[in-house]
Amino acid sequence: MTHTSAPTAPATPRPPSQHTLALMIWIAVTPTLLAINLLLGPLMAGIPVVPRTIITVTIAVPIVIYGLMPLLHRIRRRWAMSRRS
């Protein structure tokens, strides 16, 4: 009787290091905050700084977490896998 092993899944890269993750977050957050401030800054000029910050963060966090970070993780995985080849 021959024993066949199950196909192995392709190797997945390790999670990003703390420094890589910090860089990825910076890459996502900086242009997001700049865009929000450029687009909404004039509309929010009369709002005090605390509510203005809460509004900005409420808009920025979903963009970064659900939009940009998954994209950056995919790019990092592709880059890491290409370096293995």
Side-chain angles (χ1 to χ4, degrees), residues 51-72:
R52 188 172 63 228
T53 301
I54 291 169
I55 292 167
T56 302
V57 169
T58 301
I59 295 167
V61 168
I63 292 169
V64 168
I65 296 301
Y66 299 116
L68 297 176
M69 287 306 292
L71 173 66
L72 290 173

Side-chain angles (χ1 to χ4, degrees), residues 29-45 49 52-53 55-57 59-60:
V29 169
T30 300
T32 302
L33 291 178
L34 284 170
I36 291 169
N37 282 308
L38 288 172
L39 293 170
L40 299 181
L43 298 173
M44 297 192 301
V49 70
R52 188 172 63 228
T53 301
I55 292 167
T56 302
V57 169
I59 295 167

